[in-house]
């Protein structure tokens, strides 16, 4: 079942973000100036010791099945051995998960530590810019990124392309003026998703008892 967010809050966040971009002086930077871009990987499926561990691991398919603002896990998980013996990485909470192929542009925020497959080029907010800003910026930039994608079989954005993608953003001090407002909005949307999960669980339990 697709999770339905409060569309009013989503639209409100988008509208405030657009006003920030249109009401202040902007400076040209790259995505790598505002966060660390990192890829993912897939542990060998021939080795059973790499799978069904306690580390959440997602692919773009997980986001297509459950469109939501915050993501805590997908259908699969890996072990420490799987993490160690593959190119996937353990991403910190609030990393922006951005699908870079098949398709380009699924976006979510890591609710906890999580790993991804190679279908993601995620952005870790470790350079002083808040996670909400990077999320809204990548959402705004997705059409341009799709246009810049390469590939004959399917379009893909490479890590290098995302790192060097140029964007115009407000000064850091101007961005941080809105931090408390956006943080409250995103936490409210996170809470709504939790409540929706609880309601879905109650509904499913009732249906199992009835049928």
């Amino acid at each position: 079942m697709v999770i339905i967010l409060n569309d009013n809050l989503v639209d409100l966040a988008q509208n405030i973000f657009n006003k920030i971009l249109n009401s202040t002086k902007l400076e040209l930077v790259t995505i790598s100036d505002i966060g660390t871009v990192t890829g993912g990987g897939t542990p060998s499926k021939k080795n059973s010791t790499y799978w069904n561990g306690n580390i959440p691991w997602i692919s773009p398919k997980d986001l297509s099945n459950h469109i939501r603002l915050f993501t805590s896990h997908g259908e699969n998980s890996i072990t420490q051995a799987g993490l160690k013996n593959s190119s996937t990485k353990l991403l910190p909470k609030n990393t922006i998960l951005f699908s870079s192929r098949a398709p380009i542009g699924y976006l979510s925020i890591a609710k906890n530590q999580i790993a991804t497959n190679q279908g993601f080029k995620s952005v870790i907010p470790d350079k002083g810019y808040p996670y909400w800003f990077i999320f809204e910026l990548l959402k705004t930039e997705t059409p341009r990124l799709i246009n810049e994608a390469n590939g004959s079989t399917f379009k893909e954005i490479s890590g290098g392309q995302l790192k060097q993608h140029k964007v115009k953003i407000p000064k850091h001090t101007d961005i941080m003026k809105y931090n408390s407002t956006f943080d409250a909005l995103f936490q409210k949307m996170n809470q709504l998703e939790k409540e929706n999960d609880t309601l879905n669980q109650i509904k499913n339990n009732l249906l199992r008892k009835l049928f």
Side-chain angles (χ1 to χ4, degrees):
M1 180 176 179
V2 174
I3 303 300
I4 301 174
L5 279 173
N6 186 323
D7 289 339
N8 290 331
L9 293 182
V10 174
D11 291 343
L12 178 61
Q14 182 71 62
N15 289 336
I16 297 174
F17 183 78
N18 289 338
K19 287 181 180 179
I20 296 172
L21 294 183
N22 294 324
S23 64
T24 185
K25 184 177 179 180
L26 303 179
E27 52 189 15
L28 189 64
V29 300
T30 65
I31 296 297
S32 63
D33 290 325
I34 63 174
T36 297
V37 177
T38 184
T42 302
S44 173
K45 294 186 177 180
K46 295 179 181 179
N47 192 327
S48 61
T49 65
Y50 293 168
W51 294 91
N52 300 314
N54 58 3
I55 299 171
W57 179 90
I58 64 168
S59 70
K61 179 183 176 182
D62 290 306
L63 298 192
S64 70
N65 290 338
H66 301 281
I67 300 172
R68 56 192 304 146
L69 187 67
F70 289 86
T71 296
S72 61
H73 65 279
E75 292 182 0
N76 298 293
S77 62
I78 61 174
T79 63
Q80 286 291 339
L83 180 70
K84 182 178 179 181
N85 292 284
S86 70
S87 57
T88 193
K89 301 171 182 67
L90 189 59
L91 304 173
K93 178 182 177 181
N94 289 337
T95 294
I96 309 305
L97 310 169
F98 181 80
S99 67
S100 55
R101 67 182 191 186
I104 297 169
Y106 284 150
L107 270 168
S108 192
I109 301 164
K111 197 171 182 177
N112 39 250
Q113 288 186 320
I114 200 167
T116 76
N117 78 347
Q118 57 273 26
F120 286 89
K121 298 296 180 289
S122 301
V123 184
I124 303 171
D126 57 359
K127 297 186 178 180
Y129 291 87
Y131 71 92
W132 60 261
F133 177 78
I134 299 174
F135 177 87
E136 291 291 341
L137 182 65
L138 283 178
K139 185 166 68 173
T140 300
E141 289 294 313
T142 293
R144 287 183 58 208
L145 287 165
I146 291 173
N147 287 335
E148 294 172 6
N150 299 315
S152 54
T153 305
F154 49 79
K155 298 294 185 180
E156 180 175 7
I157 290 289
S158 70
Q161 283 177 296
L162 187 58
K163 289 176 184 178
Q164 297 306 314
H165 181 75
K166 294 181 180 179
V167 290
K168 290 183 178 180
I169 67 170
K171 291 182 179 179
H172 185 266
T173 51
D174 291 331
I175 293 170
M176 296 309 292
K177 291 176 184 177
Y178 295 88
N179 190 53
S180 59
T181 297
F182 270 93
D183 192 57
L185 276 173
F186 275 65
Q187 291 309 314
K188 180 60 177 179
M189 288 188 277
N190 186 16
Q191 181 60 36
L192 288 172
E193 288 187 337
K194 289 180 183 177
E195 292 173 1
N196 205 33
D197 286 342
T198 300
L199 290 173
N200 282 333
Q201 186 175 5
I202 292 171
K203 183 192 75 173
N204 292 334
N205 288 339
L206 287 173
L207 289 174
R208 280 195 293 269
K209 290 179 180 179
L210 291 172
F211 300 100

